[in-house]
Amino acid sequence: LAIAGALLRKGVPPAELRGIVRAIAVATGRDERADDREQSARSTLERAASGQPFSAYGSLRAKWPTVADAIDEAFLSGLPSDAAAPTSRPLSLDDTVRAMEAAIERAPPGLTLIKAECGLGKTAAALRVMSRRAARPYASKDAKGLRAPVGSKSALAVDKHALAIQCVTALERSGIHAKRIFGPLSLREDNGDAVCRFHAVAEPLVAGGQRMQWELCERRGAEQKCPAFETCRARDGVEGPDDARIAVGPHALVAQLDGHAGHAGLLVIDEIQDFLETTAFTAEDLDLAVDQSLTMFDGRFVGAVEPALRALREYLAHAPLDEAIDAVAAVRAHAGAVPQAVLEQARRSAAVEGDVVDCAIAAPFPEGHHGRAPPILRHVVELTLLVP
């Protein structure tokens, strides 16, 4: 971006900018992202044409002085420019904030990534954009109370519940209605106690991927629901007006936030988390799963996945500690340790004629099952509720 801006400021004709930036990327051979560099030049041209600020020579001089030196040398060698007396300046803080806000507001359909240092006000900028979107009027003055106007709904995913509360409070103070989406287990009383009466039971279930509201609150749609069902503030996982056009919540609930925004809405993920997620399994975990826990889940599902669990346990028992291997490869490498009767049962349960991996992938869920977590048996959940 800064190279494109510097070249533009130094007099490179706009029609030639993208080609030159691409040529620089190819000639330097620093990576294989020449297409991205050309797209950056296109973005710089668009910002310049619309009167928006853009990174240029000042940014190069401040952050990449050797690149700035190279550009100076190139222009002093005979290219028409103002290199002897550069007129570009580093972006001011106000310029940066305005540029960041404009990038959010004018983001095209699809995914837009904005990189900005901490303390620049990314969250506040997003809230200002969302507030303006929420204020969009209906196309007809007689349409009040109907579905929100196209493009007026937004959602913000943040890294902490406390920040979500701050955002909703700030919006309400400015006269913009917003709702907060949260995990029921996160809601606390003023004294710090959990609002959910069955928090101790719900916590390990949720950690295992189970849907708390379905298993504990609604009791799988039974007439006899949780004793606190009618009055519980945590049950729905939502606070705020139903017709609020802005929703705020934690990263873990980004799917619900995305659903609120809809296809024509804006979803902003603030301080995006790492894409890599690591989950560790120990031999003890697999012993517990195979030897004690299988009877707690639906029979056909368990029958289909048991061989893979046994093979994975065998791998952990014999694999070198420093070996890195794909999980599927590890399971298949030790499939010979699975008793033939267990494998045959898996094939019947999964209704496939494959190996241990094929059976696990095809493990069936019982009719009416909610979500993708292993289908725990209803009586097992009910028993946990009896534990003092």
Side-chain angles (χ1 to χ4, degrees):
L1 286 171
I3 289 175
L7 294 175
L8 188 63
R9 287 278 176 84
K10 288 179 176 296
V12 170
E16 300 176 11
L17 183 66
R18 286 186 293 155
I20 293 175
V21 169
R22 183 182 187 90
I24 292 173
V26 173
T28 56
R30 295 298 299 272
D31 54 40
E32 297 179 353
R33 297 172 57 192
D35 290 343
D36 293 345
R37 311 306 182 202
E38 186 175 352
Q39 181 58 43
S40 295
R42 184 195 297 272
S43 299
T44 296
L45 288 169
E46 291 174 351
R47 297 185 69 80
S50 63
Q52 300 179 57
F54 54 87
S55 298
Y57 184 90
S59 297
L60 285 179
R61 178 55 61 193
K63 294 185 177 181
W64 302 280
T66 56
V67 180
D69 290 342
I71 286 183
D72 287 346
E73 181 180 350
F75 278 90
L76 288 172
S77 298
L79 294 176
S81 72
D82 58 351
T87 57
S88 58
R89 60 178 177 80
L91 292 178
S92 69
L93 178 59
D94 289 342
D95 288 340
T96 302
V97 172
R98 282 194 296 269
M100 183 167 53
E101 194 167 326
I104 298 173
E105 190 151 35
R106 301 176 186 180
L111 174 65
T112 298
L113 296 178
I114 300 173
K115 182 178 179 181
E117 296 181 8
C118 295
L120 290 180
K122 297 186 294 293
T123 306
L127 292 179
R128 287 193 294 271
V129 172
M130 292 179 176
S131 296
R132 290 194 289 271
R133 292 172 63 92
R136 288 182 181 177
Y138 289 98
S140 168
K141 64 179 181 180
D142 300 322
K144 291 182 178 179
L146 301 179
R147 188 169 57 181
V150 174
S152 64
K153 300 184 76 173
S154 307
L156 174 64
V158 295
D159 64 342
K160 295 182 177 64
H161 286 289
L163 180 55
I165 294 172
Q166 291 176 18
C167 291
V168 170
T169 302
L171 289 167
E172 293 289 348
R173 286 175 179 169
S174 64
I176 303 295
H177 294 306
K179 62 183 177 182
R180 184 170 73 93
I181 298 177
F182 56 88
L185 294 181
S186 70
L187 199 62
R188 299 279 173 171
E189 303 286 4
D190 292 339
N191 63 0
D193 292 342
V195 170
C196 175
R197 287 178 53 180
F198 296 97
H199 186 278
V201 172
E203 201 166 35
L205 286 175
V206 171
Q210 303 296 329
R211 299 185 62 176
M212 169 189 167
Q213 285 129 316
W214 175 245
E215 297 290 350
L216 296 181
C217 302
E218 298 185 30
R219 306 287 166 87
R220 303 197 185 191
E223 291 186 9
Q224 187 175 358
K225 304 185 187 312
C226 172
F229 186 85
E230 297 298 333
T231 59
C232 181
R233 295 185 292 114
R235 184 191 78 203
D236 295 328
V238 178
E239 287 181 337
D242 292 336
D243 61 349
R245 296 180 182 178
I246 300 177
V248 186
H251 289 153
L253 299 180
V254 69
Q256 291 92 314
L257 293 166
D258 185 41
H260 167 86
H263 293 298
L266 172 69
L267 171 65
V268 176
I269 304 176
D270 192 15
E271 301 290 350
I272 192 167
Q273 295 176 306
D274 292 336
F275 291 107
L276 180 64
E277 181 177 342
T278 301
T279 301
F281 292 99
T282 66
E284 290 74 18
D285 292 331
L286 288 169
D287 285 341
L288 178 63
V290 174
D291 299 333
Q292 300 181 41
S293 301
L294 293 183
T295 57
M296 299 180 182
F297 298 90
D298 177 78
R300 287 190 64 203
F301 181 90
V302 164
V305 301
E306 182 178 354
L309 292 175
R310 286 179 176 270
L312 190 59
R313 179 171 66 171
E314 191 71 13
Y315 163 76
L316 281 181
H318 298 93
L321 293 178
D322 59 348
E323 180 184 38
I325 186 172
D326 179 79
V328 170
V331 168
R332 285 192 165 127
H334 292 272
V338 177
Q340 187 63 27
V342 174
L343 177 58
E344 292 300 329
Q345 178 58 57
R347 289 170 175 163
R348 290 192 294 270
S349 296
V352 297
E353 287 299 324
D355 63 8
V356 293
V357 173
D358 298 325
C359 292
I361 292 173
F365 289 97
E367 184 177 353
H369 179 69
H370 285 217
R372 299 294 300 173
I376 193 169
L377 296 175
R378 181 175 179 176
H379 77 269
V380 173
V381 178
E382 292 175 346
L383 286 174
T384 64
L385 297 174
L386 300 178
V387 177

